[in-house]
Amino acid sequence: MSTRVTTQAAVTTALADVDFPADKDALLATAERNGADEATIRALRGVPPVEYRSLGEVLSSVEINTPDPAERPAPPVNPIEEELGENRGS
C-alpha cells in the first residue's frame, strides 16, 4: 500500500471548512489546522498543484483506500432468518 493512501472520510473531515476554490497549499494548511492524520497529509501532498473547485475534485485526485470487499465484515444476520430460514419482515 502506498504511503499516500488515505480514506474519503479522513479527507472530508480534514477539509471540512476549506474555502473553495483552493490550491494545494490551502488544502494542506486547512488539513494541518484541522489535525489531519499523517496519511491524509501525505495524500494531499501528492495531489497535483492546481486549483480545486470542490471537495469532489480533491477526492478524485487523492489516492483513496478502498477496502477489498472480501475483507469487509459480513453483514449482521437477521435472527429470524437464521432460525427459520426466511425473513418474515419483508
Side-chain angles (χ1 to χ4, degrees):
M1 183 181 294
S2 170
T3 59
R4 293 183 177 178
V5 176
T6 188
T7 65
Q8 182 173 335
V11 174
T12 301
T13 299
L15 301 179
D17 60 347
V18 72
D19 291 324
F20 288 104
D23 62 12
K24 180 178 176 175
D25 291 335
L27 298 177
L28 284 165
T30 301
E32 289 171 352
R33 182 180 70 241
N34 288 337
D37 60 72
E38 280 302 310
T40 301
I41 297 295
R42 284 192 302 270
L44 290 170
R45 285 186 183 134
V47 301
V50 298
E51 186 172 85
Y52 295 88
R53 295 176 295 187
S54 68
L55 180 60
E57 286 185 2
V58 177
L59 290 171
S60 67
S61 296
V62 172
E63 191 172 347
I64 299 294
N65 179 20
T66 306
D68 183 341
E71 295 176 8
R72 292 186 194 151
V77 176
N78 182 324
I80 293 173
E81 185 175 358
E82 185 177 87
E83 184 176 332
L84 302 176
E86 61 185 64
N87 186 346
R88 293 185 176 193
S90 55

